Amino acid sequence: MRWHCQPHGLPPFFHSFPCIQCSPLRERNESVPLMIVTQKITTLAFQLHDGICKKSEQLTSEQKHVAIRVRPSLIEYLSYNLNFLSVLVGPCSNYRDYVDFIEGKHISCRLKQHPATCNGQNGYDKTPDLSPLNAVCRKLLVCCGCMFLFLVITRSLPITYNADNHFVSHASFLTRLTYAFFSIQAARPKFYFAWTLADAVNNAAGYGFLGMDESGKPSWDLVSNLNIIGIETATSFKTFIDNWNIQTGIWLKTVCYDRAPKHRLPLTFILSALWHGVYPGYYFTFLTAIPITIAARAIRRSIRHYFIGSKVLKLGYDIVTWAATQLAICYTVMPFLLLSVDHTIVYYRSMYFHVHIISILAAVALHRKHKPREASAANNSAPPVSLSSSSSTAACPAQCQPVHSNNNDKVN
């Protein structure tokens, strides 16, 4: 992590030392390839460690599926880390899935998991159209829409205005809250664009086939990094995180959450902050997320069962929790975009630190009430970071045979 963090720290010290206190809002796109390589190196290292240094009974079912028992060659190692499909913005995927793709058996391995759809000829069924063309076109259309929203809306609602002294001192609390909500909503399209485009690039190359969905149609979401509908309709903090930066969530779970002996939640968020870089705003965001996540879990366990018996009550509950979730995300993510300490403090003061106060009080008040259940659930509950479908870590059956090397010529 040292060589990963060092380039993050160079801009603040080269531009000016006070940048740690008042760093300007600027893009950090040049560090993204380094962040992706960090994910790949650590993913491969842990999977190799699980396969070589640990006994099978010491591993979870997911770790068994992705464990690597043969050291990759130098060319395989460099190919996995530096392949052009994901070197710029990711996403990170399992080494085994990538090797299956390179060897031309990525699609057949996935189809072998659905015998009913296979006709025995290279694992393909002639009925469904397995070409990624439809998925790529759909994702490119989403990219076009996100680019339009970015050019029209995002630039008209600058994030820095939330910390503008004149706006903070003259606008009412409701006005500040409303602007913060819409400015955060407007900031999402650029992330949607980058991750969806990266997903489309992988699909266009024939990589990312997940399998057949429940309706019998091919799904090309193996390396998808987000679920826009899931994000925009999330009714809980965890649901939002589970649909945002999915592959990074898987990485954090596999290298930290599943392996930490205790304090898994805070350690995972701290690792996420370190991975993003050295800007103070990152640490404000992920440290703030810790009590919010704990409080959200406790509140949901305490009151949700009162509302699920009636459709009307359930609808009202969903509306209230959606609004609360979106406002909590807005409050949490704001420092991540503001970056600097002074802008973050100005924003938090304008919000009266209300989410901090509410979440800490709720976590403390409900902690003892659910302490026995929390202790028993510690080993079974999902991590505070995103998980995609379980098939993203499923192992390829040993009997899978290579098909055409580009994964596309025979998909029809």
Side-chain angles (χ1 to χ4, degrees):
M1 289 296 290
R2 179 180 178 182
W3 59 267
H4 164 62
C5 291
Q6 183 176 358
H8 282 290
L10 289 179
F13 288 100
F14 274 137
H15 288 283
S16 62
F17 180 79
C19 180
I20 293 296
Q21 290 295 326
C22 53
S23 57
L25 180 63
R26 52 172 166 248
E27 299 298 332
R28 299 292 297 131
N29 293 332
E30 68 273 12
S31 68
V32 174
L34 199 57
M35 298 165 70
I36 299 301
V37 169
T38 300
Q39 285 189 353
K40 291 182 178 181
I41 290 175
T42 52
T43 296
L44 179 57
F46 276 109
Q47 291 176 356
L48 192 61
H49 177 267
D50 291 340
I52 296 178
C53 302
K54 286 189 174 183
K55 297 180 180 179
S56 179
E57 56 269 20
Q58 295 177 302
L59 304 176
T60 66
S61 58
E62 291 181 355
Q63 290 170 347
K64 290 178 184 178
H65 289 156
V66 298
I68 302 169
R69 293 173 174 81
V70 178
R71 287 187 177 89
S73 65
L74 178 61
I75 190 65
E76 291 171 333
Y77 175 79
L78 294 176
S79 174
Y80 171 67
N81 285 303
L82 303 176
N83 73 86
F84 72 94
L85 296 175
S86 58
V87 71
L88 292 180
V89 293
C92 174
S93 59
N94 289 320
Y95 175 77
R96 178 171 290 182
D97 289 329
Y98 177 74
V99 170
D100 289 342
F101 163 68
I102 292 298
E103 294 179 351
K105 56 184 182 181
H106 170 59
I107 294 179
S108 67
C109 281
R110 292 289 165 180
L111 285 176
K112 287 290 185 181
Q113 299 173 19
H114 304 271
T117 65
C118 300
N119 67 356
Q121 299 177 0
N122 291 332
Y124 289 113
D125 188 319
K126 293 183 179 179
T127 302
D129 180 12
L130 301 178
S131 170
L133 180 60
N134 290 335
V136 172
C137 291
R138 184 180 70 252
K139 291 171 183 178
L140 290 178
L141 286 176
V142 172
C143 288
C144 292
C146 292
M147 178 60 71
F148 174 79
L149 292 175
F150 173 76
L151 295 175
V152 174
I153 299 177
T154 303
R155 294 187 175 185
S156 64
L157 295 171
I159 287 290
T160 51
Y161 196 60
N162 288 282
D164 181 79
N165 290 327
H166 182 270
F167 174 70
V168 169
S169 59
H170 290 82
S172 65
F173 174 76
L174 186 59
T175 301
R176 297 194 301 268
L177 187 65
T178 302
Y179 183 84
F181 172 79
F182 283 106
S183 61
I184 287 293
Q185 296 291 117
R188 292 176 189 170
K190 65 180 180 181
F191 297 100
Y192 293 168
F193 173 83
W195 288 333
T196 305
L197 181 60
D199 190 13
V201 168
N202 280 272
N203 292 168
Y207 185 41
F209 181 69
L210 181 60
M212 310 303 291
D213 61 19
E214 295 178 354
S215 61
K217 296 180 180 179
S219 172
W220 285 84
D221 294 331
L222 177 66
V223 294
S224 293
N225 226 359
L226 79 165
N227 179 352
I228 296 178
I229 296 177
I231 290 170
E232 299 297 340
T233 61
T235 58
S236 70
F237 203 78
K238 181 186 181 301
T239 302
F240 185 99
I241 297 175
D242 282 352
N243 290 283
W244 177 272
N245 208 353
I246 295 172
Q247 303 305 321
T248 295
I250 296 174
W251 172 70
L252 290 169
K253 177 181 184 295
T254 56
V255 304
C256 182
Y257 191 88
D258 287 346
R259 301 176 189 275
K262 56 183 178 180
H263 308 305
R264 296 188 295 176
L265 178 69
L267 287 176
T268 303
F269 277 120
I270 291 171
L271 174 60
S272 184
L274 287 170
W275 174 73
H276 279 89
V278 299
Y279 281 106
Y282 300 153
Y283 297 87
F284 277 106
T285 287
F286 291 106
L287 292 177
T288 298
I290 296 173
I292 293 178
T293 302
I294 295 173
R297 288 176 176 177
I299 294 173
R300 183 178 178 85
R301 285 195 296 262
S302 299
I303 67 173
R304 185 175 184 272
H305 57 278
Y306 293 114
F307 298 91
I308 59 177
S310 167
K311 291 184 177 180
V312 176
L313 290 177
K314 181 64 166 56
L315 177 61
Y317 174 83
D318 288 341
I319 293 173
V320 172
T321 52
W322 173 84
T325 298
Q326 297 299 326
L327 291 175
I329 289 294
C330 167
Y331 183 91
T332 305
V333 172
M334 188 67 72
F336 187 93
L337 300 175
L338 292 174
L339 296 180
S340 65
V341 172
D342 57 338
H343 285 168
T344 298
I345 296 301
V346 168
Y347 170 74
Y348 278 160
R349 285 177 176 173
S350 72
M351 295 289 109
Y352 307 114
F353 295 89
H354 70 281
V355 176
H356 281 99
I357 297 172
I358 294 172
S359 60
I360 292 174
L361 290 177
V364 171
L366 299 174
H367 173 69
R368 293 190 177 184
K369 180 178 179 181
H370 296 281
K371 189 173 182 179
R373 182 175 179 180
E374 288 176 355
S376 63
N379 295 325
N380 300 321
S381 62
V385 289
S386 138
L387 283 176
S388 66
S389 64
S390 59
S391 55
S392 64
T393 57
C396 171
Q399 67 271 25
C400 292
Q401 298 297 323
V403 294
H404 199 273
S405 60
N406 65 4
N407 293 321
N408 289 321
D409 291 355
K410 293 187 178 182
V411 294
N412 293 321

